[in-house]
Amino acid sequence: MIEGYDRMTTIATDGKAMAADGRLVMGDRILKEDDDKIVKLFVEKAGETLLVGCSGAVVHMQSLLEYISESYVGDSVFLRTNVYNPEEDFGDEAPHPSETHALILTEQGRVFMAGYAESVLEVRKTMATGSGGDIALGAMLAGKTPGEAVLIASRVDLNTNGNVTEIRIA
């Protein structure tokens, strides 16, 4: 996979499930329609599985997942002393990490967001992010599931496709 690929996407959660579309783009080119954007991340030291929905540049995804794994201590608690800052790890040709972020759903149903140069922060249970995030959030607030919300976003947002994956945390 080329490091510069972007996961322009829509990720949505309601505290019970997380959904994402499958479109992978590079600039204005669609490269893949079935990318896996939700990762089941087992954090061994916590003995728990997290659902992590990633958006942004693929080159920064592994660093972001490692940061989340290192920061999570269990029972919906993240160490807030670490700051995800991959700029020191990548050269000038890599896309800037400021658009790379993740929604995190814990087994307890709590939702967090992690991003460039920020601590992991708890956010509301009904949350969406990515290029179609506002549309998906509105759909969930109107009673749709995360999967239905991402599908609705795909009808309006060119960077989101209708190939939707929804995973329940429990």
Side-chain angles (χ1 to χ4, degrees):
M1 183 175 290
I2 296 174
E3 291 183 345
Y5 286 2
D6 294 321
R7 290 181 172 188
M8 299 303 288
T9 192
T10 302
I11 300 169
T13 185
D14 62 0
K16 299 175 205 155
M18 185 175 286
D21 74 294
R23 182 160 287 165
L24 181 65
V25 302
M26 183 174 197
D28 61 354
R29 290 182 25 221
I30 297 170
L31 302 173
K32 191 174 178 185
E33 294 285 5
D34 61 350
D35 191 43
D36 295 324
K37 296 176 183 172
I38 301 174
V39 175
K40 281 188 174 182
L41 180 64
F42 180 73
V43 181
E44 191 170 331
K45 67 182 173 192
E48 290 183 38
T49 299
L50 306 173
L51 289 183
V52 181
C54 296
S55 67
V58 172
V59 68
H60 302 300
M61 295 301 162
Q62 189 58 41
S63 292
L64 182 55
L65 289 171
E66 288 171 10
Y67 165 67
I68 291 166
S69 183
E70 290 169 9
S71 299
Y72 190 65
V73 295
D75 198 28
S76 295
V77 176
F78 287 86
L79 296 175
R80 298 184 194 273
T81 56
N82 294 338
V83 175
Y84 165 64
N85 186 353
E87 277 191 304
E88 35 192 73
D89 298 331
F90 299 96
D92 293 335
E93 294 184 21
H96 196 275
S98 64
E99 294 298 319
T100 303
H101 54 280
L103 281 180
I104 305 159
L105 178 59
T106 70
E107 290 179 358
Q108 295 79 23
R110 292 172 73 182
V111 179
F112 296 82
M113 184 172 275
Y116 169 74
E118 297 177 1
S119 297
V120 178
L121 301 173
E122 187 165 8
V123 294
R124 60 182 174 249
K125 284 188 184 221
T126 302
M127 187 64 169
T129 190
S131 56
D134 289 343
I135 300 161
L137 181 59
M140 286 190 299
L141 292 174
K144 300 297 183 183
T145 67
E148 292 168 332
V150 172
L151 188 58
I152 289 168
S154 76
R155 295 180 192 152
V156 179
D157 179 48
L158 295 176
N159 292 314
T160 301
N161 72 3
N163 185 7
V164 178
T165 301
E166 182 176 278
I167 301 174
R168 298 192 74 70
I169 189 65

